[in-house]
Amino acid sequence: MINKNNWSERINPVVRSIPPSGIRKFFDMATEMKGVISLGVGEPDFVTPWHIREGCIYSLEKGYTMYTSNQGLLELREEIARDLDITYGVTYDARRELLVTVGVSEGLDLSMRALICPGDEVLIPEPSYVSYAPATALAGGVPVTIATSVEEEFRLTADRVEKAITPRTKILLLCYPNNPTGAVLRRRDLLEIAEVVRDHDLIVISDEIYDKLTYIGSHTCFSSIPGMRDRTVLLNGFSKSYAMTGWRIGYAAGNSDFIGAMNKIHQYSILCAPITAQMAALEALKNGREGMRKMVQHYNRRRHLVMQAFKDMGIPCFEPGGAFYTFPDISSTGLTSEMFAEKLLMEEKVAVIPGNAFGPSGSGFVRCAYAASMEDLGEAFRRMSGFVKRNGVQSKIVVNL
Ligand code: PLP
């Protein structure tokens, strides 16, 4: 019997069962305090380059304020197809195989909703980006996590994928460079995973949002692996590589059946991505490569400094090959991830995210984003160094960024 005054009982039980994001909890705590340096949220500290903003302003002056086609401006889709062809040698038909979305977030939701039948299992390497499991559950699927470990540099192996497969497995989700660990996969890792995918007839959703932020070796796009293009939904966007988080623009590329199905949901729920953001994305693709490369160089410099800072503190940290995250092992402090993050915030006003917010295999770690200015990073690590010393780990040298 439903209690009429208990509104929460009327809410879909799947929605009720989803816990709030562990990232947001710390973000909200940090924003309510003064003087906090946040290494918490995964957002570029750069403002969108001026020529992209100007491109958008110019489009508004010219009166571009309408709906676009559901799939997005054809000119933008053609530019995306060109970019994927030049960068990875993988070709897509801009008219039938590309969909412009409201960020990768919408692409993720659409792909899950278009592909999952009730009870289908989705394999998710863990530690994992916080949206994957809820997006799976909301689409009626069952998230099945595959733990990765620091001993294996948080790389997903074909062997581990194989072991997690059951008769209900339908989708493998990939996210490399990875959030939260910064791990990257080598081409030969992907080739081995592709064999398992082929043998078990799986579909892959490949979230390539950090593809441009790769510092070790070159990134291989999963769709470019022989035989994988048609069984992969490639998701990407502009939030990270072009510092465009607030514009909410991304895209999905895949075979026309998948993209057509996703577009069906998109046309009834979203209609189309905002035209102003689409015009900005067009400018980013046409003229933004150089600016993007410069931002990547900055991230890489910060990555080296942050790695050195952890080394000096005596905190083991696996070297991330991509994205803008480090995932240090803080277990030597004797604190849990939650305690470390909470105490660091309260005592030193530095915000990091407890590793277990990304799944149980993140326990004993914290995620520190280095998408912050050198000054902020320097100050944050000076504070963290003092904190770590007080909590039992001896710094070898005074951190001097
Ligand atoms: N995928 C991953 C792995 C992310 O880290 C994020 C944001 O942090 C997103 C998707 C969301 O991207 P967008 O801003 O394009 O929706």
Side-chain angles (χ1 to χ4, degrees):
M1 257 277 280
I2 285 180
N3 172 354
K4 279 197 175 159
N5 295 321
N6 190 348
W7 298 109
S8 76
E9 283 182 16
R10 318 267 184 104
I11 291 166
N12 175 338
V14 179
V15 177
R16 253 192 286 159
S17 71
I18 292 172
S21 158
I23 293 189
R24 281 286 138 187
K25 184 181 142 193
F26 272 80
F27 182 69
D28 292 345
M29 274 165 76
T31 47
E32 278 166 24
M33 290 168 68
K34 281 213 166 74
V36 171
I37 301 176
S38 179
L39 311 181
V41 172
E43 173 155 30
D45 58 312
F46 298 108
V47 174
T48 308
W50 171 243
H51 71 97
I52 298 175
R53 288 182 274 155
E54 199 176 33
C56 167
I57 293 165
Y58 189 50
S59 78
L60 282 172
E61 275 178 359
K62 285 200 291 187
Y64 283 88
T65 57
M66 307 85 177
Y67 292 132
T68 69
S69 100
N70 295 135
Q71 279 180 267
L73 291 166
L74 181 60
E75 199 186 348
L76 174 58
R77 280 180 278 142
E78 285 171 345
E79 207 57 49
I80 293 167
R82 198 176 354 262
D83 187 56
L84 290 170
D85 192 7
I86 292 169
T87 316
Y88 299 119
V90 56
T91 54
Y92 289 98
D93 177 347
R95 290 179 187 273
R96 298 162 54 245
E97 298 182 313
L98 275 167
L99 175 65
V100 177
T101 57
V102 179
V104 168
S105 303
E106 196 215 348
L108 177 69
D109 180 48
L110 293 178
S111 51
M112 294 287 194
R113 286 205 276 160
L115 294 170
I116 288 175
C117 301
D120 283 344
E121 292 177 2
V122 177
L123 301 180
I124 303 173
E126 196 205 90
S128 101
Y129 174 51
V130 291
S131 296
Y132 295 151
T136 303
L138 288 169
V142 179
V144 175
T145 52
I146 306 178
T148 62
S149 66
V150 69
E151 290 78 23
E152 292 179 328
E153 299 176 324
F154 292 111
R155 283 208 312 272
L156 181 68
T157 61
D159 187 42
R160 281 183 191 270
V161 177
E162 179 102 51
K163 282 193 181 121
I165 290 173
T166 74
R168 293 308 311 256
T169 308
K170 185 169 196 177
I171 295 171
L172 169 65
L173 215 152
L174 293 177
C175 172
Y176 295 94
N178 184 263
N179 176 9
T181 62
V184 291
L185 291 187
R186 299 163 300 199
R187 186 176 170 79
R188 73 163 182 276
D189 299 321
L190 293 172
L191 285 168
E192 286 168 13
I193 290 169
E195 247 174 68
V196 178
V197 165
R198 196 180 299 113
D199 289 350
H200 294 272
D201 199 20
L202 303 183
I203 298 166
V204 172
I205 297 176
S206 187
D207 180 347
E208 310 251 351
I209 193 164
Y210 295 103
D211 69 333
K212 305 289 190 302
L213 309 186
T214 304
Y215 316 107
I216 300 174
S218 60
H219 176 71
T220 300
C221 167
F222 193 74
S223 309
S224 71
I225 301 276
M228 291 300 112
R229 178 195 177 281
D230 281 347
R231 54 170 77 243
T232 301
V233 178
L234 186 170
L235 303 178
N236 206 337
F238 298 80
S239 288
K240 315 289 174 165
S241 40
Y242 293 97
M244 291 177 67
T245 46
W247 298 80
R248 312 307 305 126
I249 189 88
Y251 61 85
N255 78 58
S256 57
D257 286 334
F258 289 173
I259 295 300
M262 289 167 65
N263 190 33
K264 255 193 213 170
I265 306 171
H266 171 81
Q267 73 187 357
Y268 291 122
S269 54
I270 300 289
L271 229 158
C272 67
I275 191 169
T276 41
Q278 292 193 51
M279 296 303 286
L282 186 59
E283 172 60 26
L285 282 179
K286 280 185 170 166
N287 300 307
R289 264 179 188 273
E290 198 39 44
M292 190 237 305
R293 253 185 236 122
K294 284 195 183 130
M295 288 192 269
V296 174
Q297 281 168 4
H298 279 286
Y299 292 135
N300 198 16
R301 256 179 251 137
R302 298 167 185 185
R303 184 179 74 101
H304 286 300
L305 289 170
V306 171
M307 288 303 296
Q308 187 61 46
F310 283 123
K311 201 169 162 204
D312 293 346
M313 275 187 254
I315 292 282
C317 186
F318 134 85
E319 185 182 350
F324 37 52
Y325 306 108
T326 49
F327 207 62
D329 175 350
I330 50 83
S331 52
S332 57
T333 59
L335 300 171
T336 63
S337 306
E338 290 264 351
M339 279 156 64
F340 184 98
E342 225 165 295
K343 268 169 80 83
L344 183 65
L345 181 61
M346 295 306 166
E347 293 174 20
E348 300 290 347
K349 298 193 173 174
V350 175
V352 298
I353 306 291
N356 56 312
F358 307 97
S361 48
S363 292
F365 296 82
V366 293
R367 189 190 77 175
C368 301
Y370 48 89
S373 70
M374 290 294 228
E375 293 72 34
D376 278 356
L377 285 174
E379 178 55 24
F381 280 92
R382 257 185 288 280
R383 294 183 194 180
M384 202 187 295
S385 175
F387 173 80
V388 164
K389 248 189 233 165
R390 281 202 309 281
N391 282 281
V393 177
Q394 280 301 312
S395 289
K396 287 181 196 130
I397 325 168
V398 174
V399 180
N400 190 16
L401 293 179

